[in-house]
């Protein structure tokens, strides 16, 4: 499990963005061309997202990548543990 406080914040913000966009996990998975387990596993923090996946998710949610990243960064502490 990926369980650092910072990573929990990242996933919480991405999950909130998905819900705000009106997408279910299944909807997002379909838009990404992935099985529903892809979304479930990163939302449950069973796997980490990489940068390209982050970009694909933001675009599938019809968001600008930079806007989503800024929203996430605003919630993180100055020093981020990885």
């Amino acid at each position: 499990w990926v369980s650092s406080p910072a990573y929990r914040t990242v996933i919480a913000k991405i999950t909130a963005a998905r819900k705000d966009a009106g997408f279910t996990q299944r909807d997002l998975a379909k838009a990404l061309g992935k099985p529903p387990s892809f979304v479930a596993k990163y939302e449950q923090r069973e796997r980490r997202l990489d940068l390209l996946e982050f970009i694909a998710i933001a675009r599938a949610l019809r968001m600008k990548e930079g806007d989503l990243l800024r929203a996430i960064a605003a919630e993180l502490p100055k020093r981020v543990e990885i």
Side-chain angles (χ1 to χ4, degrees), residues 1-11 45 48 72-73 75-82:
W1 286 64
V2 185
S3 61
S4 73
Y7 194 71
R8 284 194 301 271
T9 298
V10 169
I11 295 305
R45 299 181 333 268
R48 268 195 192 263
I72 292 167
E75 298 291 322
L76 295 174
K78 251 186 173 179
R79 179 170 166 78
V80 176
E81 306 250 346
I82 55 172

Side-chain angles (χ1 to χ4, degrees), residues 16-63:
R18 172 182 62 76
K19 291 176 180 178
D20 289 348
F23 281 66
T24 64
Q25 286 184 348
R26 189 172 297 278
D27 294 334
L28 179 55
K30 184 175 181 179
L32 294 167
K34 296 287 187 183
S37 62
F38 173 83
V39 176
K41 285 183 179 183
Y42 79 73
E43 285 192 1
Q44 294 169 4
R45 299 181 333 268
E46 291 179 20
R47 65 177 298 276
R48 268 195 192 263
L49 289 176
D50 71 21
L51 181 59
L52 293 176
E53 291 167 341
F54 173 84
I55 291 169
I57 290 165
R59 290 179 180 179
L61 295 174
R62 299 180 204 106
M63 296 183 74

